[in-house]
Amino acid sequence: MRLEAITWERLTEALAERALDERPRGGGPWLRVGVDGAPAARPGELAHSLAEALRLRGRSVLVLSTEGFLRPASLRYEFGREDPDTYFDGWFDTAALWREVFDPLEAGGSGRVLPDLWDPVTDRATRSAYEVLPEGGVLVVHGPLLLGRWFPFDLTVHVRLSPGALRRRTEEGARWTLSAFERYEEEVRPAEAADVVVRADDPRHPAWQGPAR
């Protein structure tokens, strides 16, 4: 894969233009964008920057983190607090994401989306109010391990770290998750699955594979 150096500002603008060129799959009026990356790659920062760029272009945008859709601790820690296979398969409530986020944005849906469901700090339901994304609006979901789950994204961005950069930039207390990301690379191949790949080994100097579709 050929990568080109780019600034974060130019990257955000290019991604916004690319997103607006996409047509929602399935005939619905809402665009759904996924920004995938390990926590160390900080996909949330890119997701929020992209959201601001889209708002400046006149679009309503709702940004969600999959961290708000974690399963209860009793389920996440069923096989211990540092089980990488459970992190890969069982930490995130994919059924709730489908029910509360993606299904309402299908053709004929209500546009009524729950922004989060579970607070990992208190380990209780957040009780957040539903938000209505108007037709023509954009949903931006960010988090790790997003690809390969059949989520109906219209555009996917993978923020990539090399194995060495991922290890260096992952907090010591979270390094037990590294084998889950190794599995992700082997089974999902996110750099091939994503529409856009951003390399962020040096957070000051990103690179991407360019605007080819």
Side-chain angles (χ1 to χ4, degrees):
M1 178 184 297
R2 181 179 179 181
L3 297 173
E4 301 174 1
I6 193 170
T7 65
W8 286 111
E9 292 77 12
R10 286 175 50 220
L11 173 64
T12 300
E13 294 295 310
L15 287 175
E17 292 298 324
R18 171 71 186 269
L20 294 181
D21 283 342
E22 296 291 332
R23 300 190 65 174
R25 299 166 191 169
W30 300 280
L31 189 71
R32 299 150 299 186
V33 179
V35 182
D36 170 68
R42 298 184 291 195
E45 293 183 10
L46 181 57
H48 283 280
S49 296
L50 174 59
E52 286 305 310
L54 289 167
R55 291 185 183 111
L56 290 174
R57 288 163 170 79
R59 293 296 188 98
S60 296
V61 185
L62 178 60
V63 182
L64 302 185
S65 169
T66 57
E67 187 172 308
F69 288 85
L70 288 173
R71 301 174 78 197
S74 60
L75 299 176
R76 297 199 310 273
Y77 302 146
E78 183 178 3
F79 299 103
R81 288 181 172 269
E82 298 185 356
D83 183 74
D85 289 326
T86 303
Y87 179 73
F88 184 91
D89 289 318
W91 266 46
F92 299 96
D93 193 340
T94 55
L97 281 164
W98 275 101
R99 182 181 66 250
E100 305 290 359
V101 177
F102 294 113
D103 285 348
L105 301 183
E106 290 291 325
S110 65
R112 187 169 174 265
V113 175
L114 189 66
D116 52 57
L117 180 65
W118 201 258
D119 186 333
V121 176
T122 64
D123 197 38
R124 294 182 178 180
T126 58
R127 303 187 183 278
S128 295
Y130 283 87
E131 298 186 26
V132 176
L133 188 63
E135 292 189 3
V138 183
L139 170 75
V140 181
V141 178
H142 64 87
L145 311 171
L146 274 181
L147 305 178
R149 299 185 184 275
W150 301 103
F151 290 143
F153 291 120
D154 303 298
L155 177 67
T156 52
V157 181
H158 174 58
V159 186
R160 184 172 184 79
L161 296 177
S162 67
L166 178 60
R167 179 170 293 277
R168 288 193 303 273
R169 291 173 55 184
T170 297
E171 296 179 0
E172 184 174 353
R175 287 185 179 168
W176 61 270
T177 65
L178 293 175
S179 59
F181 289 107
E182 291 175 5
R183 179 181 168 189
Y184 189 53
E185 288 290 329
E186 293 173 1
E187 296 184 10
V188 178
R189 298 183 181 274
E192 298 174 16
D195 297 308
V196 176
V197 178
V198 178
R199 186 181 67 198
D201 285 4
D202 183 341
R204 300 166 300 174
H205 303 291
W208 74 323
Q209 89 274 32
R213 297 172 65 89

